[in-house]
Amino acid sequence: MRARWAVGLVAALSMVFGGAAMSAFATAPPSLGAGYVLDDVNVLSSSDAAAAQTRLEQLKADTGLDLWVVYVDTFTSPSDAAGWANQVATDNGLGPTQYLLAIATESRQFYLSGDSAGPVDEEALGAIEQQRVQPALQSGSWLGAVDAAADGLTDAASGGSGGAAGDAGGGALTAVLVAVFVVVVIILVIVLVTRSRRKKAGAGAPGAAISPPVDLEELGRQASSALVATDDAVKTSEQELGFARAQFGDAATGEFEQAIASAKTDLNQAFTLKQQLDDGQEDTPEESRAWNEQIIALCARANDGLDDKAAAFDELRKLEQNAPEAYARVQAERDTVASAIDGARALLAQLGGAYTPNALSTVADNPAQAADRVAFADERLTAAQAAIGAGNGGEAAVEIRAAEEAISQARLLEDAVAKMQNDLAGQESGAEALLTELESDIATASALPDPQGALAPVIASTRQRVDAGRAALAGPVKDPLAVLKSLEAANAQIDGVVQGARDAAAQADRTRQMLGQSILQAQAQVSAAEDYITARRGAVGAEARTRLAEAGSSLVQAQQLQSSAPDQALQQAQRANQLAGQAIQYAQNDVGAFSGGGSMLGGGSTGGGGGNGMLGAVLGGIVINSLLGGGGGRSSGGMGGIFGGGGGGRSSGGGMSPGSFGGGGTRSRRGGGRF
């Protein structure tokens, strides 16, 4: 439906502007080439293309801003101008000082994409679009649109509004807009009538919300990508909120907590749907389509809710205005965290003498990863100090924010080692208690009549597992979680035999005791999975995050049902424990794939990010842009894209864009327009 609507609108607008209706060719977001201009439809002559490149190189030299211009026939995947242009910018790793003008020559749409954290604000970008670019395109000057956009950015960079001087031509523009409006209204009426007729004819099957139809496999990939991106946005927003709460107090951050809570509600619902898709039960194509579409819609709503508060949050923090004070605060936090790395390393070595590598797998490289994050923070703080000295508060703020998040992750990684020590001790205690219970069950089962010989094998199997469990806990190195899992399997088997022999009171007491142990075990597993994924979220995909979200949901239900329905609570706690274990396994597989199976990011590594911790920052999700190179235009290789991409390169750290409070709308959205 949407594709046919777009074609109809293009044809109608072509008639309004006096041109013959032309067939539209869909163009997906492309990769940018070596220059500033990508002309896929050959609307520029070779001399025009050279002139455009020269003008954009001059823009870079004059302002430090990059502008890429892309000409295609029609936008698709996504089909809206804003989504298409922002997708190109995101896919190509454009930074805050880098802009992209997308022009669809046949569907006559355009959009100027810019990062909301960049030096040209949304109002100025809108003025450039409407007062400069649109008139040039309406006059048929493809090259003129490049000059217009470059002139507008130059004006905005020097403190101007970005718009054209005066309002000459406003009457003509108004007339054009009125004509466009009339055509749009007419076509909307046609579309509504058509839709109404189709509904009466029986249209509207499940999954019709996304049009044109997307095959189920692609829809599933889109849903998984939306989950990962939204989960990252929520986690980053939570970190940013923690920084703000420490700086300004709870009273000043209440509205942002509510925004995150609302986003998490939508995200958790989306994860529940994803779990239904992954649970092994066969789903109909209609169910799969409907659930994936709901996942995408829920993620979009979660992101929009965060984006709505992003500007207010940035206004609250205003790191740019107090960069020296923020630098001093983050530097002090850095020193505290760095001094704790040796302690975490020593504790891990101590634990390694008592527990198996498998028991410590989620924290095995935590000290090395913490050192990696601190190294990255040092690079960013050095760049921030230089920016402060040069009077560039905006660049200093970006660097400080990146350092702040790196230090936060380093602290999380260190704390996880100490938390693991407590969790392992708790698992040992739980295993010892379960051994005692199983001994009692064996005695109870042995006293029961067994005329058919059904009890003897169960008793023998339980005895074997109990003896193996005791031996494992008494060994030089232990894996208490593995022992617990083995004993729980034995417990489930023998419980079916002796449950009827217990009176109601004894059974209730037994359930409560097992529930307490199961909840503690689930809490430890969920916590370990959460810490592992949070500090490595740059590599972790949708499956691990889905299992973790479901584990957390089941744990909450277990805690809520603990008093009123202990039997149900026990089932939920056991489910939470199982799902958290799956989340850890999926996440470790993802991290292993990220590191290529080598030692770079694996257990016992020395950091993996090199001297400046960059790869670790990518692994931790602190830096999430594509790894693209610097130099004139765009080139391959290196890390330049993370620091603002191509277009002449920048000083160390210049143009870097770490995560901040908000959802997916990190690139400004104003609406673009038609011409």
Side-chain angles (χ1 to χ4, degrees), residues 461-487:
S461 174
T462 304
R463 167 55 60 195
Q464 184 179 17
R465 294 209 183 198
V466 166
D467 292 343
R470 289 197 186 281
L473 291 178
V477 289
K478 297 160 279 192
D479 188 347
L481 183 58
V483 173
L484 265 175
K485 289 180 179 179
S486 175
L487 295 178

Side-chain angles (χ1 to χ4, degrees), residues 112-182:
L112 179 58
S113 174
D115 196 307
S116 55
V120 181
D121 62 25
E122 294 186 16
E123 185 176 353
L125 289 173
I128 295 170
E129 284 180 335
Q130 301 305 318
Q131 298 177 36
R132 292 182 183 267
V133 176
Q134 188 178 50
L137 292 172
Q138 287 169 345
S139 69
S141 177
W142 305 117
L143 177 59
V146 176
D147 290 326
D151 290 345
L153 288 172
T154 300
D155 179 66
S158 62
S161 67
D167 59 357
L173 177 59
T174 300
V176 172
L177 291 176
V178 169
V180 173
F181 176 76
V182 171

